Amino acid sequence: MPLAVLYSRALSGMESPLVTVEVHIANGLPSFTIVGLPEAEVKESKDRVRAALQNAQFEFPARRITVNLAPADLPKESGRFDLPIALGILAATGQIPSDKLDQYEWAGELALTGELRPIRGALAMTYGASCSGRSFVLPLQNVAEAALVKQAKVYPATSLLQICAHLAGREPLQVYSAKLETNVKVGTADYPGMEDVKGQTHAKRALEIAAAGGHSVLMLGPPGTGKSMLAARFPGILPSMNEEEALESAAMQSLSSSGFNVSNWKRRPYRAPHHTASSVALVGGGSNPRPGEISLAMNGVLFLDELPEFDRKVLEALREPLESGRITISRAARQADFPAQFQLIAAMNPCPCGYLGHYSGKCRCTPDQVARYRGKISGPLLDRIDIQIEVPAVPQEDLMRQQPGEPSSTVQQRVEVAYQWQLQRQGKTNTRLSVKGIDKYCTPDTQGENLLKQAISRLNFSARAYHRILKVARTIADLAGSTGVTSIHIAEAVQYRRLDRN
């Protein structure tokens, strides 16, 4: 039969659209043509496929070979189409049976020896294959990642010859059946412990509230006060991930160039890009849009140290995902929509030299220099950060104290209780509440309402700051086990808007 039809998957944002690989062999001068908007990596598959077939002792036809990757208007990238193209040539020339090809979807990059190399985005493609009802054949290195999709039927393979033996019925491939423990609770032992941080009781309390309600945090303080230490230990007090969150996070990391490491299953990601990162690195982009740091931190933590040192355009790109939890990347030919539900933890110095308010008295910055430095963080961005706190220098007696602080596991237990309470009450964390949800679940009592009115009047809070204070107060009430929001909770929430009071 001069025509063979196989199925594979492309990647478009978080989606994995079906690609039909049609291989036609015709008489004529020898040629090898690939059509269907192939990018450079796909065009180069001609040479990889030819060498792989010859080194596997198959006959490469000296005829006119046409490969069509449909749909024609969907760009195709990466070497994942090597395997279906090679199998299509073998099936079209009668070297392997073609009756079972439509039962599977295929993806894998071929080495010149015919061995299979791992691919990017295996998790998303496996999910698409399982929804179509077909089995998925892919390189052995990707199989543990693909097996995270519970309903999928996955066949791992190491070489082209192994797959051909399976199709011929000589040595059938075995369905991957390794039992991955998907209910393991993320242990705080995987992260540095909060007990390492000396002093900073106020900052630890703020981070506990942020962990319980999913709130963003900005820490302001001199160098060496523990801001980076606190941020690095923050993932250890976050509530454990459920199955859906873990799969979302893994699928997002699977799309990155480094792929997803299965040992990180159910561990909340922690991303800390350098302040020289571009806006594309942070939000994603490229001609074939890929996720950036904010999406790779999905259901985890994005830590931005030295916040004012980031480029202004980079920081402004955070405004939309902080508000909506999604980021849309538009290019002339393509558009991709990525989820971006992350917790922002940011840190900055109080002035250009960093020592404003330090007990050493080393700061010589003028008020204009301080204002210009802090002005690098725009009002609209600052307004979207729920908790803004000062992290002062640690007193010597606290620093030299040998007794460890409260361990992360104890803090996480309190956070977990408050988090589960929110899920039972409203199905989401407090930070994700809409205006209607705020009116329903965050309305304070009479004394709390009067206190909030005074705070808005004296401190000129914006409408967005007003809503965020109510959300933080609701989380404080949840940690306290209170069914209602009182003046005590409102008072504590107001003090976490530190930069709004300047």
Side-chain angles (χ1 to χ4, degrees), residues 130 233 276 299 421:
S130 66
R233 285 150 180 76
T276 56
N299 294 320
W421 196 350

Side-chain angles (χ1 to χ4, degrees), residues 374-392:
R374 296 191 182 185
K376 294 179 180 179
I377 314 299
S378 71
L381 175 60
L382 198 59
D383 220 21
R384 287 169 165 82
I385 299 178
D386 299 342
I387 297 175
Q388 307 154 11
I389 57 171
E390 283 190 276
V391 184

Side-chain angles (χ1 to χ4, degrees), residues 43 59-60 115 121 149 219 224 243 258 271 318 328 357 496:
K43 292 178 181 179
E59 178 187 351
F60 188 81
E115 301 294 313
V149 182
M219 295 181 285
E243 199 79 19
S258 57
R271 310 289 298 191
L318 290 170
T328 300
Y496 292 131

Side-chain angles (χ1 to χ4, degrees), residues 177-235:
S177 59
K179 293 183 179 179
L180 180 68
E181 182 56 58
T182 57
N183 293 317
V184 176
K185 183 179 179 181
V186 178
T188 54
D190 294 331
Y191 303 99
M194 277 288 183
E195 60 271 19
D196 298 336
V197 182
K198 302 293 181 66
Q200 303 299 4
T201 305
H202 180 65
K204 290 178 182 178
R205 167 65 174 172
L207 290 180
E208 180 179 341
I209 294 167
H215 305 289
S216 52
V217 181
L218 172 60
M219 295 181 285
L220 178 79
T225 57
K227 301 187 296 295
S228 299
M229 281 187 70
L230 287 164
R233 285 150 180 76
F234 182 70

